[in-house]
Amino acid sequence: MKCEWMEALRLRVLEEGAFRAAFVPVADIRFDWAFRDVCATNACGNYGRCWMCPPDVGGIDEMMAEAQSYDFALVYQTVDPLEDSFDFEGMMDAAARSSRLSQKLTGILREGSFPRWLQLGAGGCHVCQVCAKRTNEPCRHPDLALASLETYGVDVSKLAEAAGMKYINGQNTVTFFGAVLFRKGE
C-alpha cells in the first residue's frame, strides 16, 4: 500500500505539527451508527446548530457508506499538555490547534495532485467562530467545512488502535484525531 507520495504526505503532516501520523486501510476502521446517538445527546452543543454536524450533515448509513467507499486513510493525532484534568481552556486551545492542523492539511491536499479525498476532523467544524447555521444562513465556507470522524460513525478509539497510536496519551494531556480518506489510483 505504501508509496512515495504517501510517505511524503505523512512526513509533511508531522512537520506541520501532528504528534503521530500513519496510513491504514479503511477496511481496518470500525464504523458504528451508535456514534450518531452520542451526537444526539448534544454534549458538545453543536447538534442541530452546525452545518457539518448531525442531523444536518446527512444520514449515518449514507455517510458510513461514503467513508467505506475509500481504500485507505491517513490518520493523524495531536497531543497537548493540560495543567490538570479540569483545564477547559487548555482543551479548547488544543482543539483549535488540531483544527488549524486540519485546515493546513486541506491546503496541502489542494496543492497536490489529489483529485478526490474525504477529510474528517476532531469534534466537528471549527472554521467559523459561530456557524452560519445558528444565524439561519448557508455555510460561509463550504470548501473548508469539516465534519468529524464521529459524524461518519468512526470509532476513534479503534481507529487509534488500527493506526498504532494511543487513544489516551497520559495524565494531563488531551488527544485529538483527524483522518483523510483516499481511493487507490486517485
Side-chain angles (χ1 to χ4, degrees):
M1 176 175 75
K2 288 210 174 183
C3 64
E4 192 174 309
W5 73 264
M6 293 169 81
E7 183 60 11
L9 183 58
R10 188 187 75 78
L11 292 173
R12 179 77 187 271
V13 171
L14 293 170
E15 288 171 13
E16 294 295 342
F19 182 68
R20 288 196 175 92
F23 277 93
V24 300
V26 170
D28 291 353
I29 299 174
R30 182 172 177 245
F31 292 85
D32 190 335
W33 58 265
F35 288 101
R36 186 59 68 90
D37 292 340
V38 174
C39 288
T41 66
N42 200 27
C44 70
N46 282 331
Y47 188 82
R49 301 185 72 196
C50 176
W51 287 119
M52 297 308 293
C53 288
D56 299 292
V57 74
I60 186 67
D61 292 327
E62 295 82 15
M63 298 187 88
M64 286 192 311
E66 178 187 359
Q68 290 170 329
S69 74
Y70 289 83
D71 298 302
F72 52 93
L74 172 61
V75 179
Y76 57 96
Q77 72 177 169
T78 58
V79 179
D80 288 278
L82 300 174
E83 289 182 21
D84 55 44
S85 59
F86 300 104
D87 182 7
F88 184 74
E89 185 177 315
M91 290 178 206
M92 293 300 95
D93 289 346
R97 189 175 86 76
S98 177
S99 181
R100 285 191 304 273
L101 174 60
S102 294
Q103 293 304 316
K104 283 183 189 176
L105 185 50
T106 298
I108 292 166
L109 292 166
R110 287 190 177 140
E111 289 170 8
S113 58
F114 307 103
R116 190 166 164 176
W117 71 88
L118 173 63
Q119 186 175 9
L120 304 174
C125 188
H126 301 281
V127 174
C128 300
Q129 279 193 309
V130 176
C131 181
K133 168 76 175 171
R134 295 181 187 207
T135 55
N136 294 318
E137 299 171 76
C139 179
R140 294 179 200 102
H141 303 285
D143 57 327
L144 298 175
L146 196 62
S148 72
L149 291 156
E150 296 87 353
T151 296
Y152 276 76
V154 174
D155 182 333
V156 179
S157 67
K158 296 293 184 191
L159 177 66
E161 189 177 303
M165 299 175 192
K166 292 180 181 179
Y167 181 69
I168 299 171
N169 284 277
Q171 188 173 357
N172 297 330
T173 65
V174 63
T175 304
F176 290 100
F177 286 86
V180 182
L181 286 63
F182 298 92
R183 289 194 178 103
K184 290 180 184 172
E186 287 190 16

